[in-house]
C-alpha cells in the first residue's frame, strides 16, 4: 500500500538509473543514516500557537507542501523533523513523523505540545482498496479504523465527493499491503476505501490532546496496482544492512527492478505535488487568514 512509496523513497535510488546499482542503493541508505544521526534533541524557544499542523511520514510526501511555505525554518528534533513557516499569513508547522503508527503517535504528541496548533491534518500517501479509489485520487477520511476494530470519527465535511475526491473510512495497517487480493480482503473486512500506516496514531494523539483533526490522503497505488514480490522481502528486513543485502540480491536476480524502483520514486514526486495543491485549496476552508500575525 502507501508505505511502499515512503520506504522506497527514503531507502532506495537517488542516483540516475545509468549509475552503478550498488552506488545508488548505498547513497540512499547513507542519506537515511545521516538523517537519523542528526535527529537528536534540539532546544527551541517558546513559539506562538500555530494555526495549523500538517503531518506527513517522510520528506518525499511532504516536499511538495513544504515548498509552498515562506520564511520557513527546519529543525530536526528527537521524534520528528519540523518545518515552521507561513502559508499566506497562516502560521503552519509541517512535521515528518517517520513511518508507522507508533512513530506518528509519538511525533504528534510532541508537536502538539510544542506548537499548540488549532488544527492537525494528517496527510500523505495511501493505498486504494476499491476500484473507485484510483492512483492520483484524493481520500478525505470520514472515520479512521485500525485492524482491531477501534474507530475514530472525523466530524465535519470538508470536501465534496467527485470522480477523483472520495470521502469514506480509512484503515491504518502495520504491514505492507502488496496484492490486489490483500486489498480487496481488507476492504471487505473493514469497509474501508483506502489504507495507510500512520493516521490512527495521529488521530489518537489529537483525541488525547483535544485538538481538531482531519485526514487527507492521495492514492499512490490503486486496487489493481500490484507491486513486485521482491519488494516485500526487502521491506521485511529489520536493519539497513539486511535491507541492502536483500536489495542487492533482488537486483542481481532481476536487474529490471532498478527501473521499477526509479519509476515508483518519480510517481511519488508527482503525487506529493498534487497533494500539496489540494491541501492549499482545503486549508482556507478550515483556517481563516490572520493578517495581524507576523512572520515566525
Amino acid at each position: 500500500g502507501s508505505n511502499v512509496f515512503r520506504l522506497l523513497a527514503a531507502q532506495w535510488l537517488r542516483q540516475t538509473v545509468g549509475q552503478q546499482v550498488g552506488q545508488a542503493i548505498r547513497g540512499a541508505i547513507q542519506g537515511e543514516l545521516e538523517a537519523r544521526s542528526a535527529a537528536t534533541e534540539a532546544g527551541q524557544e517558546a513559539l506562538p500557537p500555530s494555526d495549523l499542523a500538517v503531518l506527513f511520514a517522510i520528506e518525499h510526501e511532504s516536499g511538495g507542501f513544504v515548498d509552498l511555505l515562506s520564511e520557513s525554518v527546519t529543525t530536526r528534533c528527537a521524534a520528528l523533523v519540523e518545518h515552521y513557516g507561513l502559508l499566506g499569513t497562516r502560521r503552519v508547522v509541517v512535521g515528518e513523523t517517520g513511518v508507522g503508527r507508533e512513530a506518528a503517535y509519538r511525533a504528534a504528541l510532541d508537536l502538539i505540545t510544542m506548537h499548540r496548533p488549532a488544527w492537525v491534518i494528517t496527510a500523505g500517501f495511501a493505498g486504494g482498496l476499491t476500484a473507485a479509489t484510483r492512483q492520483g485520487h484524493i481520500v478525505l477520511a470520514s472515520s479512521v479504523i485500525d485492524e482491531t476494530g477501534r474507530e475514530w470519527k472525523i466530524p465535519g465535511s470538508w470536501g465534496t465527493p467527485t470522480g477523483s475526491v472520495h470521502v469514506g473510512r480509512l484503515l491504518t495497517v502495520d504491514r505492507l499491503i502488496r496484492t490486489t487480493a490483500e486489498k480487496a480482503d481488507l476492504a471487505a473486512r473493514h469497509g474501508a476505501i483506502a489504507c495507510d500506516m500512520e493516521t490512527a496514531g495521529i488521530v489518537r494523539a489529537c483525541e488525547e490532546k483535544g485538538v481538531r483533526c482531519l485526514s487527507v490522503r492521495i492514492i499512490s497505488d490503486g486496487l489493481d496496482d500490484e507491486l513486485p514480490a521482491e519488494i516485500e522481502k526487502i521491506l521485511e528486513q529489520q536493519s539497513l544492512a539486511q535491507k541492502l543485502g536483500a536489495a542487492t540480491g533482488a537486483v542481481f536476480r532481476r536487474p529490471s527492478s532498478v527501473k521499477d524502483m526509479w519509476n515508483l520514486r518519480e510517481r511519488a514526486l508527482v503525487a506529493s505535488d498534487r497533494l500539496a495543491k489540494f491541501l492549499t485549496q482545503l486549508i482556507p476552508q478550515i483556517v481563516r487568514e490572520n493578517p495581524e500575525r507576523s512572520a515566525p
Side-chain angles (χ1 to χ4, degrees), residues 4 85 116 182 237 269:
V4 171
R116 295 161 289 159
E182 291 175 295
Q237 307 307 313
L269 294 175

Side-chain angles (χ1 to χ4, degrees), residues 44-58:
Q44 190 167 358
E45 296 180 0
L47 297 170
S50 297
D51 298 306
L52 176 72
V54 187
L55 298 184
F56 301 84
I58 66 166

